[in-house]
Amino acid sequence: MNKKEILEKSRNEYKNSNNDEQQRSVALKGNTIGMLTGIILCGVMNLIEHNVGYFVIWVAMFFISNLFIAIKTKKGINIFIAIAMGVSLVLSIAVYLSDRGVF
C-alpha cells in the first residue's frame, strides 16, 4: 500500500465511525437547549403543583450529566448550567425534605 491508499482508507474509516464534530456540536447544543427548557418547565410545574419528588430525581440526573460535560469541555455555559443545576438540586432536596417534615 502506498501513502495515498492508506490515507484514503483512514478517511473512509473515520467517516464511518460516527465521529462527525459538527454532529456532536449540534447534539450538545440541542441537549443544552432541551435541558434549559426542561428546567424552566419543571420549575413552573413545581410552582403549580408543589410536588418536588420527581423534580428532585430529574434535577439529579441532569446535574450529573452537566457536571460531566462541564468538566470535560471546560466551557463557560456548561459550567454555568452545572452550577445552576447543583443549586437547583440542593434547593429541591431541601424543599422535598421540608415537605416530609424532616426539618
Side-chain angles (χ1 to χ4, degrees), residues 1-78:
M1 291 174 96
N2 63 19
K3 184 178 177 181
K4 288 183 181 182
E5 290 173 340
I6 294 171
L7 287 174
E8 185 64 33
K9 184 177 179 183
S10 175
R11 286 186 191 116
N12 287 336
E13 288 175 0
Y14 183 78
K15 285 180 185 177
N16 295 330
S17 65
N18 294 327
N19 289 328
D20 187 14
E21 292 299 322
Q22 182 181 7
Q23 184 179 4
R24 286 183 183 182
S25 175
V26 169
L28 182 61
K29 286 180 185 177
N31 288 337
T32 302
I33 292 170
M35 283 186 261
L36 287 173
T37 304
I39 291 169
I40 292 168
L41 290 176
C42 279
V44 169
M45 293 302 290
N46 183 33
L47 291 174
I48 293 171
E49 295 182 12
H50 199 63
N51 181 5
V52 295
Y54 293 112
F55 184 70
V56 170
I57 296 168
W58 186 86
V59 170
M61 288 185 326
F62 285 105
F63 168 67
I64 297 301
S65 173
N66 281 309
L67 184 64
F68 179 79
I69 292 170
I71 290 170
K72 292 295 183 183
T73 62
K74 295 180 178 74
K75 289 186 178 179
I77 185 69
N78 294 332

